[in-house]
Amino acid sequence: MITVNENYLKLKAGYLFPEIGRRIRAFKEKNPNADIVKMGIGDVTQPLTPAVIEAMHKAVDEMANIKTFKGYDDDGVGYEFLRKAIRDNDFAARDVQIDLDEIFVSDGAKSDTGNIQEIFGIDNIIAVTDPVYPVYVDTNVMAGRTGAAKDSGGYEGIVYMPCTAENGFVPALPKEKVDLIYLCFPNNPTGAVATKEQLTEWVGYAKENKAVILFDAAYEAYISDPDIPHSIYEIDGAKDIAIEFRSFSKTAGFTGIRCAYSVVPKNLKAYKKDGIAVDVNPFWGRRHCTKFNGVSYISQRGAEAVYSPQGKKQIRQTIELYMNNAKTICDSLTALGYTVYGGVNAPYIWLKTPDGMGSWEFFDHLLENANIVGTPGAGFGTAGEGFFRLTAFALPENVTVAMERFKKL
Ligand SMILES: *Cc1c(COP(=O)(O)O)cnc(C)c1O
């Protein structure tokens, strides 16, 4: 008899975005002519930049020629031309030394942050922020690293670290001993960033507790404050305890192209039950080349072009467009008396719902009275209740319309 992985049965039904979709459909049925402005799902809206398009066209032509055709990308860890561009531009330029064999190119930071847990033991205690990017939690539920879903939200066996207005949405170190810590800065959904001092505390905690930090830096390109680290490896000693995830999705509009990478330093250790230290880098390499055959050559050439002088300039313009949206949203809502967070070093605005409304209550209120869709904070975790996420990934004209409608609410 074939049995199922019963861990999947623990997953909470009614995942955030399906529920949002259901409410929008129900609203549209009653109001077929409503012009809805979507500021909900965190997907980019601007097209790929010319430098990327040109590089990808060229790569397509190479694929059409017997002399330049490419099949599998050897061991699936990414072409050297891309890993060199990553090493030089994302790290060496910030005084961080990363070796080529510490970089693993992939099809997405979602897959990487979801897959990474499988190289670690099943008994590890997982710590996540609350609110949280749901991938970190659900993949550990599927693997069997948690208990059942709790009525109060969350799962048994996971350590949740509340991110509140009081702590600036950067969690305090856990009081208990945890083994695997997921951090995401700049943060989705709160738009918060972590300072060098805060990350230094985390690195210290991980060292002291022989823990590993999984650092999701998918939004590093949105940092405008020069004092905020772009990589956790800007912190001394982080190469001993941290894995970092990056993606071209939000940096360069690759959500529909797919290209990302992870960094697993060769210094990073995890332990056998008998306490013997083991290198983690070969574990991830082994998993990668066993289960993955690499990202398309065309995507990798497109990603390489992100680092060309033209590419850099063009991508900066796109990010500025989004961050201008963020500023418009923050300024307009602040003027209207809302309390808003984020939106300065991240494309997300995290606003406190007015008049003590619940997150979903505010969602319905906004949809019905302003025809605007956002994301209820409660969908990201218990501590997100009473908050609401708006994204700056939108057309500027739609942001203008949305802010006019907020005024009339
Ligand atoms: C969008 C996003 C990513 C990127 O995912 P891809 O699979 O690379 O498109 C990673 N982490 C967070 C928190 C995100 O919001």
Side-chain angles (χ1 to χ4, degrees):
M1 179 185 74
I2 178 72
T3 61
V4 292
N5 176 352
E6 292 194 27
N7 293 316
Y8 278 60
L9 299 173
K10 294 179 199 162
L11 291 166
K12 265 176 284 182
Y15 175 68
L16 181 59
F17 291 107
E19 177 59 22
I20 289 175
R22 196 190 63 72
R23 291 189 191 212
I24 296 174
R25 279 192 302 278
F27 177 76
K28 270 191 185 157
E29 246 165 60
K30 277 192 233 146
N31 308 276
N33 297 323
D35 171 27
I36 296 175
V37 178
K38 288 187 180 159
M39 301 175 87
I41 296 186
D43 197 357
V44 295
T45 52
Q46 292 301 114
L48 295 169
T49 58
V52 168
I53 289 296
E54 199 182 309
M56 290 177 73
H57 278 167
K58 191 161 158 270
V60 170
D61 288 339
E62 286 178 67
M63 293 300 256
N65 185 324
I66 196 163
K67 292 205 187 76
T68 49
F69 170 77
K70 299 273 191 294
Y72 289 126
D73 155 15
D74 293 335
D75 30 18
V77 297
Y79 287 101
E80 204 167 286
F81 63 77
L82 178 56
R83 285 183 294 132
K84 277 185 172 155
I86 289 168
R87 176 195 64 189
D88 297 345
N89 292 281
D90 285 344
F91 298 104
R94 302 194 69 84
D95 283 330
V96 175
Q97 302 317 313
I98 296 291
D99 292 339
L100 292 186
D101 54 1
E102 297 178 312
I103 299 169
F104 300 84
V105 175
S106 79
D107 64 337
K110 185 178 201 175
S111 350
D112 285 341
T113 55
N115 289 329
I116 193 76
Q117 45 78 27
E118 74 174 72
I119 64 169
F120 296 105
I122 200 77
D123 297 329
N124 286 307
I125 307 284
I126 307 296
V128 297
T129 59
D130 177 9
V132 67
Y133 182 54
V135 177
Y136 314 152
V137 172
D138 290 358
T139 52
N140 278 293
V141 174
M142 291 170 173
R145 236 175 245 107
T146 74
K150 295 187 280 190
D151 290 337
S152 55
Y155 292 88
E156 303 282 357
I158 289 188
V159 173
Y160 290 91
M161 308 181 289
C163 296
T164 61
E166 289 69 39
N167 63 23
F169 304 99
V170 178
L173 299 177
K175 290 192 185 70
E176 55 276 80
K177 224 172 119 53
V178 300
D179 306 302
L180 197 57
I181 303 152
Y182 290 80
L183 295 178
C184 172
F185 292 109
N187 189 263
N188 174 12
T190 66
V193 284
T195 63
K196 206 157 190 172
E197 292 68 33
Q198 287 165 328
L199 289 179
T200 301
E201 278 189 33
W202 277 102
V203 170
Y205 173 92
K207 288 206 156 174
E208 215 169 284
N209 292 282
K210 292 189 169 166
V212 163
I213 294 174
L214 302 173
F215 192 75
D216 186 342
Y219 295 96
E220 65 77 32
Y222 290 83
I223 294 173
S224 58
D225 182 339
D227 293 331
I228 298 296
H230 288 235
S231 166
I232 193 161
Y233 303 125
E234 290 176 47
I235 311 301
D236 282 341
K239 278 206 274 182
D240 297 333
I241 54 84
I243 293 175
E244 184 161 303
F245 303 94
R246 295 274 189 109
S247 173
F248 296 93
S249 284
K250 315 299 162 41
T251 304
F254 273 47
T255 51
I257 298 290
R258 312 311 302 147
C259 196
Y261 67 89
S262 53
V263 178
V264 182
K266 284 175 284 190
N267 285 350
L268 185 88
K269 310 275 186 205
Y271 301 86
K272 296 203 295 172
K273 283 215 172 85
D274 59 12
I276 305 282
V278 177
D279 289 338
V280 173
N281 173 286
F283 269 57
W284 187 233
R286 190 69 171 83
R287 199 222 78 102
H288 208 81
C289 70
T290 299
K291 294 197 176 183
F292 188 60
N293 253 336
V295 177
S296 95
Y297 175 69
I298 300 160
S299 300
Q300 293 194 57
R301 281 296 185 195
E304 182 194 27
V306 168
Y307 298 107
S308 69
Q310 282 305 317
K312 280 182 186 169
K313 213 195 284 166
Q314 292 163 1
I315 272 139
R316 221 4 75 196
Q317 284 169 357
T318 304
I319 290 174
E320 273 167 22
L321 178 143
Y322 292 136
M323 292 314 286
N324 280 336
N325 286 343
K327 188 170 184 324
T328 305
I329 297 169
C330 287
D331 290 351
S332 313
L333 294 185
T334 304
L336 292 172
Y338 287 88
T339 306
V340 300
Y341 303 94
V344 177
N345 293 294
Y348 294 114
I349 291 90
W350 189 240
L351 66 98
K352 197 158 172 31
T353 54
D355 309 324
M357 272 190 210
S359 290
W360 282 105
E361 194 188 341
F362 186 65
F363 175 91
D364 291 334
H365 174 71
L366 205 57
L367 178 59
E368 278 160 30
N369 300 301
N371 303 347
I372 296 170
V373 175
T375 314
F380 298 100
T382 315
E385 182 54 87
F387 288 91
F388 199 77
R389 190 190 75 174
L390 290 175
T391 122
F393 294 131
L395 301 177
E397 53 268 36
N398 286 348
V399 172
T400 309
V401 170
M403 293 305 114
E404 285 301 319
R405 292 186 190 171
F406 259 100
K407 257 183 222 164
K408 294 185 194 127
L409 256 188

